[in-house]
Structures are given as C-alpha cells and as structure tokens.
Amino acid sequence: MFKANRLVLAIAAATLTTSVFAAPAGTLATVNGVAIPSSKADLFIKELTARGQKDTPELRAQVKDELIKNEVIYQNALKKDLAKNPEVQMQMDMMKQRILIGADINAFVKANPITDSELRKEYDKIKVNFASKEFKARHILVPTEAEANAIIADLKKGKKFDELAKAKSIDKGSATNGGDLGWANPNNFVKEFGTALAALPKGKMTDKPVKTQFGFHIIKLDDVREAKGPSFEEAKGELMQQMQAQEVQNYVNELVKKAKID
C-alpha cells in the first residue's frame, strides 16, 4: 500500500525535472485559488514507479490526495511567515544546495557516459584477481592455545570434528553447523587463517593451533573446487556503479582543486 511520507513527496517534487508520461498540461486540483499542475503528479508517479510501485488509478488518486495536503500545509506555513524563520531559511538553503549538487552530478554523469569498451577494459583488469580455487572448510575457535591443543588431541583420538565444534567453538555462527564455513576464497579470511587453509591438503586439518586476532583455530579442509568468477555481463552493473563513482570523485576533486579556498 502507498504510504509516502509528505516530506518525501515534497522533496521529490523539487528534485524531479522530467516526466515519464506524455500527459497534457492541466490542473490536478485548485487549493484556495492556487492550481496544482497535473505534471507534478506525473513527476511523483515517475519517482514511485522507479521504486517499484505500479502505476494504477488508485496510486494516482493517493498522489493527488498527498499533493492537496502538501499544498494546504504549505499555504498555512506561508500564512504564519515560517519562511522568514532563520532556521527554516537555513534548511531551505541546504535543501536547495543538495538539489543543485545532485543536478550537477547527474549532468556530469550524463555528459560523460562510460562505454562498454571502458567497462570491458576494467573487467579484464580485475578478472585476473579472481580466485582460481575455492575452499570448503570447517574450524573450531577457542580462546587459548591449551584448549586448542586439547581439541587436536581429541580429534586425533577419533572424536568427530563437527561434534567438537558444536560443543567447544566460541564462533557460534559456524558452531551450530559443525564449524562449517562454506565455500570461500582463502583471501576472504584474516591472513593467518587464510594462509593455513590454503596450505592444507584436502581432508586434512591443522596439526597445530592457528593463532589470529580472534583466538586459536583448528582448521579442517573438506573440499576444493575451481572457482568461477562473475562473467562480464554479471559484473557489468556493479562495475558501472564503481566506475561512475570514481569519475564523479575525480570531477569533484578537480572542482575543489580549481576553487579559491581561504
């Protein structure tokens, strides 16, 4: 159900500049002689449908109701001269600044699109870092080296790894699953853990406790498989966001560099 916050609607009206619908110009409603253009409703609908709402007559009726309420409250605030309140003026200035900043950034991104060839070049650079193998491991984490050595001794006597993990491990997230950490790249773990894991033969466990910032680990490697990194199409969306963010950061840094700041 549509439950848009009135303030969100007011902000959306200020930030949106184009309509997704080719509706003719007209008046949605008149409040105390002030016309609310139907184009304003179209702008709200564009914003809401972009967030997953479905354009329906019910949604448009609710938007109309919100716009009327906004106008009533806005007129009431003007009658009280709240626009002259210093704190309100500062908030309005800040909101105006944020809107213009957003408009400037959007204009920059639109004028400097990232091409498929640039995305492909970036993908080719990072795909060499994709892990060649993934490891399926278990661990038991305890606070002291003495406890870890005692558990290793029990394991060598034939006690089951998963049962000891459930009973002894202080990593409760994995302990409930017998210490299972799932499939992962060793680089995803802290250095000491990842190094020890990568050195283990499949089916074996560490014969000495592995110390990390979290305590002492007994690690068992259950399986190894070839890792498959994301394809270009799978990575494209995230790459686009990252590259655009970097381009915007460079743009902002250049503006700051050129500015006279005292």
Side-chain angles (χ1 to χ4, degrees):
M1 182 178 290
F2 173 72
K3 296 181 179 178
N5 180 281
R6 293 181 180 82
L7 180 57
V8 172
L9 287 175
I11 294 171
T15 56
L16 292 170
T17 57
T18 58
S19 175
V20 71
F21 301 104
T27 298
L28 182 71
T30 302
V31 179
N32 297 323
V34 177
I36 301 174
S38 57
S39 58
K40 186 176 285 189
D42 290 336
L43 298 180
F44 283 141
I45 295 296
K46 177 184 176 181
E47 173 72 6
L48 294 168
T49 54
R51 295 179 182 179
Q53 292 279 348
K54 187 176 181 180
D55 182 12
T56 64
E58 291 78 17
L59 178 65
R60 286 183 172 268
Q62 290 163 347
V63 166
K64 177 180 178 180
D65 183 58
E66 289 295 329
L67 287 173
I68 291 171
K69 290 175 183 176
N70 281 355
E71 183 62 34
V72 169
I73 297 170
Y74 175 69
Q75 290 182 20
N76 193 54
L78 291 178
K79 286 179 183 178
K80 296 178 180 178
D81 282 336
L82 293 179
K84 297 178 182 179
N85 182 293
E87 184 176 345
V88 172
Q89 288 181 340
M90 183 178 295
Q91 290 173 342
M92 291 169 66
D93 287 343
M94 290 173 64
M95 185 62 67
K96 180 180 178 181
Q97 185 183 58
R98 283 198 288 268
I99 292 167
L100 289 174
I101 288 170
D104 188 59
I105 296 299
N106 288 337
F108 170 81
V109 170
K110 186 175 181 180
N112 297 273
I114 295 172
T115 64
D116 264 16
S117 61
E118 290 173 319
L119 286 168
R120 175 70 71 176
K121 184 177 179 181
E122 184 66 18
Y123 175 79
D124 290 340
K125 277 172 34 179
I126 66 170
K127 74 177 182 180
V128 298
N129 297 320
F130 295 161
S132 59
K133 294 185 183 296
E134 288 180 322
F135 295 70
K136 191 173 191 300
R138 297 176 182 272
H139 84 138
I140 300 170
L141 175 63
V142 290
T144 69
E145 186 173 11
E147 289 177 272
N149 282 325
I151 290 172
I152 290 172
D154 285 339
L155 289 167
K156 288 180 177 179
K157 291 175 184 176
K159 290 193 176 181
K160 293 184 178 180
F161 196 99
D162 59 342
E163 291 178 357
L164 287 173
K166 290 176 181 178
K168 304 286 187 179
S169 183
I170 59 174
D171 176 12
K172 299 306 179 185
S174 66
T176 55
N177 296 316
D180 188 7
L181 296 169
W183 290 99
N185 176 350
N187 294 329
N188 292 346
F189 300 108
V190 292
K191 183 179 179 181
E192 301 89 346
F193 190 104
T195 300
L197 174 59
L200 278 173
K202 190 168 92 171
K204 300 296 183 179
M205 71 174 189
T206 50
D207 58 2
K208 292 181 180 179
V210 177
K211 183 180 179 181
T212 72
Q213 66 200 73
F214 304 107
F216 293 84
H217 307 257
I218 303 97
I219 307 169
K220 182 175 181 290
L221 177 59
D222 286 342
D223 203 356
V224 181
R225 70 183 180 188
E226 293 298 318
K228 181 185 175 184
S231 68
F232 173 67
E233 290 302 323
E234 290 169 336
K236 188 175 178 180
E238 186 174 349
L239 272 179
M240 176 71 79
Q241 291 179 355
Q242 292 174 355
M243 292 181 71
Q244 280 183 339
Q246 186 59 56
E247 288 291 318
V248 168
Q249 186 61 57
N250 293 341
Y251 169 65
V252 172
N253 290 343
E254 192 62 28
L255 288 177
V256 172
K257 187 190 297 185
K258 291 178 180 178
K260 182 180 178 181
I261 301 172
D262 298 320

